[in-house]
């Protein structure tokens, strides 16, 4: 299980002490808001519509039962009994007081947690596959490399004042679950015919105002050269990246403006200059870090479990949940359990402190203490024995955590939107709630098949609407919320940016519009395997436009 | 007696806990929009803004700005939905925020 090394311990404790002092000086008036704001943002503290919001880092989305229990305690003690899991695999608390934040951070540090690098123009927390170390299709656990990147970037003087924030995602599996093509840098592991592993290095992807799919600068980079290569990329970015205009400062704009080939040439030239450095250090470091992610002591189990098969045959609700929420584990006799935080009519990603404790208990009893947070705003128990699945499901069901809708119409991503967020132009949560109620029938959701609906409350796209099969963007015109719909996005291996379908809708018309789109798909598909995305890609927007904007 | 007065109120977030507050007639800051003093003319708007600058300088609120409001029968309603949500609480958690504490003004954010 991942844990902090001693260096981090000291670093985090020092940061808490520093912040305590800074907050006290702000409260006494010694520091002005202009002076204090960058300091609080460096510690993940934002001021939102109703209160301060604290964004707590969950590196690689990996949590222990003990840490989850601490998150629950923090929710009760410093917030209002709940937290919001985000698309960045973090947790946000919505009702934080400045006066209490240092104490809160102190408590988090007791379980090796913090809120550093969740904000500002630094290399943000590296994100990764939420099934890392467990997925059947994985070549290697990406988390040691993600951690290497974190340690490399945390205090690197060259990288703490970048032109803009910088996001890296890593996956060790050929099937991309970490959305690597829509990050500033995405890394995907491949294996060549000789059985050697290497990284595909993708640069310049991103969402927000200018959504772009990343460009592959290197198809296959030998594993040991990663840091040198990334340094080369960061150097080119630091040198040429625009600092004069916030909206043009991300690396994606640089790649775009230089042109892909020129960008690649610059990076390769820089790389050639420094290639000789560090390779051995890098392998030694990686080996050391890998120990922190040592594989749990899995039991040797048969591939099939008779108890599990019997439960599935005898309990249709359990069987349905298994179909949507269970994924294949790389060890025989184990499974990955995906816990939906999207109950019918619920707030996507929100969990009560009680639910957090339930998940913590389950992790300790059934998943070698491990929990993951996914960028779909769900939770994962990565290592559950097939024999235990029925019991786990019963506990989840008793706590409102067994919605059988992972990857289905009800599994909606929604950012906090105008209900909480100061940058929002419209609400996102109520839209998610009404759509989820509209598709409440689970059998229908299963019949529809894979469908990703994502909602953002403004152009910043925290709800990843561009890469949704059906994306919804909340905007405002003269004080009235309205919603733009995009079709055909994906954040998976075949990543694409969705495009706008037509004129927007008022909030109350959105569920009807989504229903029309889904019904149109059902009429057009050729059998159950012909997914929504396949149909949109094959037939384009036209049939959906016709159905949606047909004169009444 | 059902006249609706339209004007500007001064609002900010309290430094210590981020709570949304409104400047009142007495110069204090209230958590309830119903108690906000309303400027009906440009001159009084400017006066409110000066009070806002002072409050920022004295670290009562982090920032202060004017919002459009209307008052009817003693209740105050912000004109823009963003400000209505600030004045009441999240529209998706009626059990939280000002609306749950009786300080939410007389209007739901949707209305
Ligand atoms: S997309 Fe906009 S509204 Fe939603 S959380 Fe991000 S900044 Fe806030």
């Amino acid at each position: 299980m991942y844990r902090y090394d001693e260096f981090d311990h000291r670093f985090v404790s020092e940061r808490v002490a520093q912040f305590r002092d800074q907050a006290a000086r702000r409260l006494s008036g010694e520091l002005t808001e202009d002076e204090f704001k960058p300091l609080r943002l460096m510690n993940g503290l934002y001021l939102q519509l109703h209160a301060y919001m604290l964004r707590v880092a969950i590196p690689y989305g990996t949590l222990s039962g003990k840490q989850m229990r601490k998150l629950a305690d923090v929710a009760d003690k410093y917030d209002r009994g709940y937290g919001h899991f985000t698309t960045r695999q973090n947790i946000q608390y919505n009702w934080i007081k400045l006066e209490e934040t240092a104490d809160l951070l102190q408590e988090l540090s007791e379980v090796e947690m913090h809120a550093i690098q969740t904000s500002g123009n630094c290399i943000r927390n590296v994100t990764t596959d939420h099934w890392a170390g467990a997925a059947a299709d994985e070549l290697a656990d990406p988390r040691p490399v993600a951690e290497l990147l974190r340690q490399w970037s945390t205090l690197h003087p060259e990288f703490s004042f970048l032109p803009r924030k910088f996001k890296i995602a890593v996956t060790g599996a050929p099937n991309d679950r970490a959305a690597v093509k829509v990050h500033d840098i995405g890394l995907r592991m491949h294996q060549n015919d000789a059985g050697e592993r290497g990284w595909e290095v993708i640069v310049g992807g991103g969402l927000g105002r200018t959504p772009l799919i990343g460009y592959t600068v290197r198809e296959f980079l030998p594993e040991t050269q990663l840091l040198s290569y990334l340094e080369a990329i960061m150097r080119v970015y630091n040198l040429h990246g625009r600092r004069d205009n916030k909206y043009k400062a991300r690396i994606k704009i640089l790649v775009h403006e230089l042109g892909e080939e020129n960008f690649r040439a610059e990076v390769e030239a820089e790389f050639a200059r420094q290639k000789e450095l560090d390779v051995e250090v890098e392998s030694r470091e990686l080996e050391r870090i890998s120990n922190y992610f040592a594989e749990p002591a899995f039991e040797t189990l048969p591939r099939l479990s008779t108890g599990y098969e019997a439960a599935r045959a005898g309990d249709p609700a359990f069987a349905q949940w298994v179909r949507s929420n269970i994924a294949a584990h790389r060890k025989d006799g184990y499974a990955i359990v995906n816990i939906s935080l999207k109950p019918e009519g619920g707030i996507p990603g929100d969990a009560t402190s009680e639910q957090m404790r339930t998940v913590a208990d389950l992790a300790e009893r059934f998943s070698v203490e491990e929990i993951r947070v996914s960028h779909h705003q769900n939770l994962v128990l990565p290592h559950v024995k097939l024999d235990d699945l029925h019991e786990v499901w019963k506990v989840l069901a008793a706590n409102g955590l067994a919605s059988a809708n992972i990857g289905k119409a009800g599994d909606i991503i929604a950012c906090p939107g105008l209900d909480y967020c100061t940058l929002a132009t419209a609400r996102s949560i109520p839209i998610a709630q009404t759509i989820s109620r509209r598709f409440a029938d689970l059998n229908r959701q299963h019949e529809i098949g894979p469908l990703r609906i994502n909602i953002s409350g403004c152009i910043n796209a925290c709800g990843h609407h561009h890469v949704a099969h059906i994306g919804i963007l909340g905007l405002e015109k003269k004080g009235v919320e309205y919603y733009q719909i995009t079709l055909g996005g994906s954040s998976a291996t075949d990543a694409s940016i969705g495009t706008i379908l037509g004129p927007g809708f008022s909030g109350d018309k959105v569920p009807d519009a989504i229903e029309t789109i889904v019904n149109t798909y059902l009429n057009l598909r050729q059998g159950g395997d012909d997914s929504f995305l396949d149909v949109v890609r094959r037939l384009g927007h036209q049939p959906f436009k016709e159905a949606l904007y047909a004169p009444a | 007696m059902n006249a609706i007065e339209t004007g500007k109120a001064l609002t900010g977030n309290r430094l210590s806990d981020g709570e949304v507050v409104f400047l009142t007639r007495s110069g204090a800051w209230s958590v309830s929009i119903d108690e906000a003093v309303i400027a009906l003319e440009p001159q009084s708007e400017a006066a409110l803004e000066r009070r806002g600058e002072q409050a920022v300088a004295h670290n009562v609120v982090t920032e202060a700005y004017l919002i459009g409001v209307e008052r009817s029968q003693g209740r105050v309603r912000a004109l823009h939905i963003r400000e209505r949500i600030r004045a009441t609480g999240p529209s998706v958690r009626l059990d939280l925020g000002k609306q749950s504490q009786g300080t939410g003004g007389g209007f739901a954010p949707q209305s």
Side-chain angles (χ1 to χ4, degrees):
Chain A
M1 180 78 195
Y2 168 66
R3 60 183 178 78
Y4 262 26
D5 61 21
E6 284 145 40
F7 166 76
D8 289 309
H9 256 312
R10 209 174 52 232
F11 180 65
V12 171
S13 313
E14 281 170 10
R15 259 300 184 76
V16 174
Q18 261 173 20
F19 184 76
R20 187 178 294 284
D21 177 56
Q22 290 158 351
R25 287 194 291 150
R26 174 68 187 115
L27 288 165
S28 74
E30 205 179 310
L31 292 177
T32 65
E33 188 61 19
D34 286 346
E35 289 164 335
F36 180 64
K37 190 172 167 187
L39 302 174
R40 70 165 156 75
L41 287 176
M42 275 171 73
N43 291 284
L45 191 66
Y46 291 71
L47 183 56
Q48 293 287 36
L49 291 183
H50 311 291
Y52 290 93
M53 178 272 276
L54 185 73
R55 182 179 294 157
V56 178
I58 301 177
Y60 329 118
T62 300
L63 279 173
S64 67
K66 188 170 150 203
Q67 289 173 320
M68 182 64 107
R69 204 164 271 123
K70 178 59 83 182
L71 293 180
D73 292 347
V74 164
D76 283 338
K77 191 162 164 191
Y78 298 98
D79 203 90
R80 310 223 168 147
Y82 71 107
H84 176 74
F85 289 97
T86 77
T87 54
R88 295 275 308 148
Q89 297 177 294
N90 294 323
I91 186 171
Q92 293 180 177
Y93 294 105
N94 296 306
W95 301 93
I96 297 301
K97 298 183 169 137
L98 174 58
E99 312 160 299
E100 296 179 351
T101 306
D103 291 341
L104 191 174
L105 292 174
Q106 177 69 42
E107 283 203 34
L108 283 178
S109 74
E110 289 162 14
V111 293
E112 304 179 334
M113 297 189 81
H114 60 79
I116 301 166
Q117 277 182 312
T118 61
S119 171
N121 293 343
C122 61
I123 299 194
R124 300 284 186 90
N125 287 291
V126 179
T127 52
T128 181
D129 184 354
H130 44 274
W131 296 346
D137 65 350
E138 186 173 270
L139 294 167
D141 188 336
R143 290 172 301 164
V145 161
E147 172 64 7
L148 180 70
L149 296 178
R150 183 187 74 82
Q151 296 195 1
W152 162 73
S153 65
T154 297
L155 294 172
H156 201 305
E158 225 175 311
F159 306 143
S160 44
F161 290 98
L162 294 169
R164 198 77 174 87
K165 62 187 167 185
F166 203 91
K167 296 176 182 176
I168 304 178
V170 194
T171 175
N175 293 307
D176 179 10
R177 288 175 289 265
V180 296
K181 286 190 181 162
V182 289
H183 282 75
D184 294 287
I185 292 181
L187 300 170
R188 179 142 67 108
M189 182 167 267
H190 292 285
Q191 190 160 316
N192 65 15
D193 296 339
E196 294 153 348
R197 288 164 184 172
W199 294 104
E200 178 184 354
V201 182
I202 302 157
V203 180
L207 301 176
R209 204 166 284 265
T210 317
L212 287 168
I213 297 296
Y215 157 69
T216 299
V217 270
R218 258 295 183 113
E219 302 279 349
F220 194 87
L221 179 77
E223 260 189 293
T224 50
Q225 295 173 9
L226 187 60
L227 286 193
S228 321
Y229 199 81
L230 294 191
E231 288 226 24
I233 294 174
M234 297 312 289
R235 239 169 239 151
V236 171
Y237 176 45
N238 251 334
L239 202 62
H240 298 294
R242 291 180 60 165
R243 289 168 195 266
D244 58 327
N245 181 340
K246 183 175 160 186
Y247 300 121
K248 302 209 161 171
R250 296 290 285 265
I251 197 170
K252 61 188 174 188
I253 306 291
L254 176 64
V255 175
H256 195 72
E257 287 186 349
L258 274 182
E260 293 172 352
E261 281 316 310
N262 289 336
F263 180 80
R264 186 208 302 258
E266 292 262 356
V267 170
E268 292 292 341
E270 183 63 43
F271 180 55
R273 271 199 285 279
Q274 56 168 34
K275 203 164 161 184
E276 299 311 317
L277 302 171
D278 297 328
V279 172
E280 283 202 0
V281 180
E282 186 172 328
S283 324
R284 262 205 320 275
E285 266 305 287
L286 194 57
E287 212 178 287
R288 185 183 67 83
I289 291 170
S290 295
N291 293 330
Y292 289 108
F293 293 92
E295 185 177 285
F298 290 118
E299 292 172 37
T300 307
L301 298 170
R303 278 189 65 173
L304 296 177
S305 152
T306 45
Y308 162 62
E309 295 302 337
R312 217 154 53 132
D315 187 339
F318 173 60
Q320 187 176 50
W321 176 78
V322 166
R323 274 199 301 282
S324 51
N325 291 36
I326 296 301
H329 199 281
R330 60 196 185 80
K331 288 285 175 198
D332 286 346
Y334 284 84
I336 300 171
V337 171
N338 295 286
I339 302 172
S340 169
L341 293 181
K342 320 289 176 68
E344 180 196 329
I347 297 179
D350 274 16
T352 64
S353 54
E354 275 319 301
Q355 289 176 322
M356 292 182 213
R357 287 190 189 100
T358 300
V359 174
D361 285 347
L362 286 173
E364 282 161 357
R365 280 170 67 201
F366 299 112
S367 180
V368 294
E369 298 211 11
E370 273 198 51
I371 301 157
R372 305 291 172 75
V373 181
S374 81
H375 71 273
H376 299 132
Q377 303 178 290
N378 292 316
L379 299 175
V380 177
L381 297 173
H383 310 299
V384 180
K385 287 184 210 166
L386 294 178
D387 290 336
D388 296 330
L389 281 180
H390 197 215
E391 175 65 21
V392 167
W393 173 76
K394 281 193 248 176
V395 175
L396 290 173
N399 289 279
L401 289 166
S403 301
N405 61 6
I406 294 286
K408 307 277 191 265
D411 185 7
I412 301 168
I413 291 179
C415 78
L418 191 55
D419 281 298
Y420 294 98
C421 177
T422 183
L423 300 172
T425 39
R427 286 174 292 168
S428 2
I429 297 167
I431 303 296
Q433 290 176 309
T434 45
I435 296 172
S436 124
R437 284 192 199 104
R438 185 66 69 91
F439 289 94
D441 179 355
L442 275 176
N443 293 330
R444 181 159 172 243
Q445 286 193 42
H446 281 240
E447 169 62 27
I448 294 165
L451 184 59
R452 173 131 299 293
I453 303 174
N454 297 352
I455 311 175
S456 302
C458 80
I459 192 69
N460 289 320
C462 304
H464 295 182
H465 64 278
H466 298 112
V467 288
H469 304 165
I470 303 177
I472 302 171
L473 168 62
L475 295 165
E476 101 151 65
K477 209 187 278 169
K478 298 197 184 119
V480 178
E481 302 159 290
Y482 78 100
Y483 298 85
Q484 214 169 53
I485 298 180
T486 53
L487 281 194
S490 163
S491 67
T493 318
D494 57 352
S496 56
I497 302 292
T499 49
I500 297 171
L501 196 54
F505 296 88
S506 62
D508 56 339
K509 297 281 189 312
V510 172
D512 284 342
I514 304 303
E515 182 137 41
T516 303
I517 291 168
V518 170
N519 287 339
T520 306
Y521 152 67
L522 291 173
N523 289 333
L524 291 169
R525 77 175 175 186
Q526 293 162 359
D529 288 342
D530 196 15
S531 74
F532 181 86
L533 190 58
D534 289 343
V535 169
V536 172
R537 284 183 174 164
R538 192 171 65 239
L539 301 177
H541 285 15
Q542 202 49 39
F544 297 94
K545 266 190 191 158
E546 280 167 18
L548 208 52
Y549 300 106
Chain B
M1 282 310 292
N2 270 345
I4 295 180
E5 284 178 321
T6 306
K8 296 275 163 62
L10 189 73
T11 184
N13 289 75
R14 198 155 61 194
L15 171 66
S16 57
D17 58 2
E19 171 95 35
V20 175
V21 286
F22 303 88
L23 187 72
T24 67
R25 188 168 294 278
S26 72
W29 291 83
S30 167
V31 295
S32 172
I33 193 171
D34 283 344
E35 291 172 14
V37 57
I38 298 177
L40 301 172
E41 295 138 30
Q43 274 164 331
S44 31
E45 280 177 27
L48 286 192
E49 277 187 311
R50 277 196 302 279
R51 298 285 281 278
E53 283 158 22
Q54 284 165 9
V56 170
H58 288 112
N59 304 300
V60 179
V61 289
T62 59
E63 185 195 9
Y65 59 95
L66 293 174
I67 58 169
V69 295
E70 58 189 26
R71 180 160 49 202
S72 155
Q73 296 180 317
R75 309 305 300 261
V76 178
R77 175 183 188 268
L79 297 180
H80 195 281
I81 181 169
R82 177 182 194 273
E83 295 305 326
R84 285 204 292 284
I85 290 176
R86 281 182 76 245
T88 26
S91 70
V92 293
R93 286 298 301 265
L94 303 180
D95 58 326
L96 297 177
K98 297 175 186 299
Q99 58 205 347
S100 69
Q101 291 153 1
T103 52
F107 301 89
Q110 294 90 334
S111 64

mmCIF file of all heavy atoms in Angstrom, chain A residues 415-418 421 423-426 428 456-463, ligand 1:
data_model
loop_
_atom_site.group_PDB
_atom_site.id
_atom_site.type_symbol
_atom_site.label_atom_id
_atom_site.label_comp_id
_atom_site.label_asym_id
_atom_site.label_seq_id
_atom_site.Cartn_x
_atom_site.Cartn_y
_atom_site.Cartn_z
ATOM 1 N N CYS A 415 -20.176 18.347 -12.290
ATOM 2 C CA CYS A 415 -19.373 19.217 -11.425
ATOM 3 C C CYS A 415 -20.330 19.913 -10.447
ATOM 4 O O CYS A 415 -21.542 19.840 -10.609
ATOM 5 C CB CYS A 415 -18.628 20.236 -12.277
ATOM 6 S SG CYS A 415 -19.680 21.588 -12.812
ATOM 7 N N PRO A 416 -19.818 20.586 -9.429
ATOM 8 C CA PRO A 416 -20.717 21.241 -8.464
ATOM 9 C C PRO A 416 -21.607 22.318 -9.085
ATOM 10 O O PRO A 416 -22.726 22.551 -8.618
ATOM 11 C CB PRO A 416 -19.754 21.843 -7.452
ATOM 12 C CG PRO A 416 -18.508 21.010 -7.559
ATOM 13 C CD PRO A 416 -18.409 20.632 -9.010
ATOM 14 N N GLY A 417 -21.135 22.990 -10.130
ATOM 15 C CA GLY A 417 -21.969 23.974 -10.813
ATOM 16 C C GLY A 417 -22.395 25.121 -9.912
ATOM 17 O O GLY A 417 -21.823 25.360 -8.847
ATOM 18 N N LEU A 418 -23.421 25.812 -10.350
ATOM 19 C CA LEU A 418 -23.835 27.052 -9.682
ATOM 20 C C LEU A 418 -24.424 26.834 -8.280
ATOM 21 O O LEU A 418 -24.661 27.790 -7.551
ATOM 22 C CB LEU A 418 -24.830 27.808 -10.572
ATOM 23 C CG LEU A 418 -25.194 29.236 -10.176
ATOM 24 C CD1 LEU A 418 -23.976 30.129 -10.028
ATOM 25 C CD2 LEU A 418 -26.152 29.858 -11.191
ATOM 26 N N CYS A 421 -20.302 26.596 -6.930
ATOM 27 C CA CYS A 421 -19.054 27.081 -7.520
ATOM 28 C C CYS A 421 -19.164 28.529 -7.967
ATOM 29 O O CYS A 421 -20.098 28.919 -8.659
ATOM 30 C CB CYS A 421 -18.682 26.206 -8.712
ATOM 31 S SG CYS A 421 -17.204 26.770 -9.547
ATOM 32 N N LEU A 423 -17.402 30.118 -10.087
ATOM 33 C CA LEU A 423 -17.136 30.375 -11.502
ATOM 34 C C LEU A 423 -18.289 29.943 -12.404
ATOM 35 O O LEU A 423 -18.282 30.205 -13.604
ATOM 36 C CB LEU A 423 -15.872 29.619 -11.935
ATOM 37 C CG LEU A 423 -14.584 29.977 -11.193
ATOM 38 C CD1 LEU A 423 -13.463 29.032 -11.574
ATOM 39 C CD2 LEU A 423 -14.186 31.410 -11.477
ATOM 40 N N ALA A 424 -19.270 29.274 -11.823
ATOM 41 C CA ALA A 424 -20.310 28.641 -12.639
ATOM 42 C C ALA A 424 -21.174 29.646 -13.384
ATOM 43 O O ALA A 424 -21.411 30.758 -12.913
ATOM 44 C CB ALA A 424 -21.194 27.775 -11.752
ATOM 45 N N THR A 425 -21.659 29.213 -14.542
ATOM 46 C CA THR A 425 -22.655 29.999 -15.259
ATOM 47 C C THR A 425 -24.051 29.381 -15.128
ATOM 48 O O THR A 425 -25.045 30.026 -15.426
ATOM 49 C CB THR A 425 -22.288 30.108 -16.752
ATOM 50 O OG1 THR A 425 -21.752 28.867 -17.205
ATOM 51 C CG2 THR A 425 -21.228 31.179 -16.961
ATOM 52 N N ALA A 426 -24.118 28.120 -14.724
ATOM 53 C CA ALA A 426 -25.418 27.463 -14.554
ATOM 54 C C ALA A 426 -25.260 26.295 -13.591
ATOM 55 O O ALA A 426 -24.151 25.855 -13.302
ATOM 56 C CB ALA A 426 -25.937 26.966 -15.896
ATOM 57 N N SER A 428 -25.392 22.422 -12.483
ATOM 58 C CA SER A 428 -25.253 21.119 -13.132
ATOM 59 C C SER A 428 -25.956 20.018 -12.354
ATOM 60 O O SER A 428 -26.527 19.103 -12.947
ATOM 61 C CB SER A 428 -23.790 20.700 -13.317
ATOM 62 O OG SER A 428 -22.900 21.603 -12.803
ATOM 63 N N SER A 456 -21.079 19.947 -17.155
ATOM 64 C CA SER A 456 -20.256 20.995 -16.541
ATOM 65 C C SER A 456 -21.095 22.259 -16.382
ATOM 66 O O SER A 456 -21.917 22.569 -17.238
ATOM 67 C CB SER A 456 -19.055 21.352 -17.423
ATOM 68 O OG SER A 456 -18.249 20.232 -17.673
ATOM 69 N N GLY A 457 -20.826 22.995 -15.312
ATOM 70 C CA GLY A 457 -21.563 24.226 -15.049
ATOM 71 C C GLY A 457 -20.916 25.466 -15.630
ATOM 72 O O GLY A 457 -21.405 26.580 -15.432
ATOM 73 N N CYS A 458 -19.820 25.295 -16.342
ATOM 74 C CA CYS A 458 -19.237 26.404 -17.087
ATOM 75 C C CYS A 458 -18.168 25.865 -18.024
ATOM 76 O O CYS A 458 -17.836 24.684 -17.995
ATOM 77 C CB CYS A 458 -18.661 27.499 -16.176
ATOM 78 S SG CYS A 458 -17.023 27.138 -15.509
ATOM 79 N N ILE A 459 -17.617 26.760 -18.800
ATOM 80 C CA ILE A 459 -16.675 26.397 -19.862
ATOM 81 C C ILE A 459 -15.388 25.754 -19.326
ATOM 82 O O ILE A 459 -14.654 25.099 -20.058
ATOM 83 C CB ILE A 459 -16.376 27.662 -20.708
ATOM 84 C CG1 ILE A 459 -15.649 27.316 -21.993
ATOM 85 C CG2 ILE A 459 -15.632 28.694 -19.927
ATOM 86 C CD1 ILE A 459 -16.483 26.571 -22.970
ATOM 87 N N ASN A 460 -15.126 25.877 -18.018
ATOM 88 C CA ASN A 460 -13.923 25.237 -17.476
ATOM 89 C C ASN A 460 -13.966 23.718 -17.548
ATOM 90 O O ASN A 460 -12.944 23.057 -17.413
ATOM 91 C CB ASN A 460 -13.677 25.679 -16.042
ATOM 92 C CG ASN A 460 -13.216 27.121 -15.998
ATOM 93 O OD1 ASN A 460 -12.435 27.531 -16.842
ATOM 94 N ND2 ASN A 460 -13.721 27.891 -15.059
ATOM 95 N N ALA A 461 -15.157 23.166 -17.696
ATOM 96 C CA ALA A 461 -15.302 21.754 -18.060
ATOM 97 C C ALA A 461 -14.818 20.771 -17.000
ATOM 98 O O ALA A 461 -14.344 19.689 -17.327
ATOM 99 C CB ALA A 461 -14.601 21.472 -19.390
ATOM 100 N N CYS A 462 -14.939 21.118 -15.724
ATOM 101 C CA CYS A 462 -14.583 20.152 -14.683
ATOM 102 C C CYS A 462 -15.446 18.905 -14.786
ATOM 103 O O CYS A 462 -15.051 17.836 -14.324
ATOM 104 C CB CYS A 462 -14.765 20.766 -13.298
ATOM 105 S SG CYS A 462 -13.828 22.278 -13.096
ATOM 106 N N GLY A 463 -16.638 19.027 -15.354
ATOM 107 C CA GLY A 463 -17.512 17.870 -15.536
ATOM 108 C C GLY A 463 -17.196 17.081 -16.800
ATOM 109 O O GLY A 463 -17.949 16.171 -17.156
HETATM 110 S S1 LIG C 1 -16.909 23.407 -14.644
HETATM 111 FE FE1 LIG C 1 -17.147 25.503 -13.958
HETATM 112 S S2 LIG C 1 -18.934 25.391 -12.633
HETATM 113 FE FE2 LIG C 1 -18.182 23.331 -12.807
HETATM 114 S S3 LIG C 1 -16.812 23.108 -11.063
HETATM 115 FE FE3 LIG C 1 -15.565 23.693 -12.844
HETATM 116 S S4 LIG C 1 -15.384 25.892 -12.644
HETATM 117 FE FE4 LIG C 1 -17.112 25.278 -11.338
#
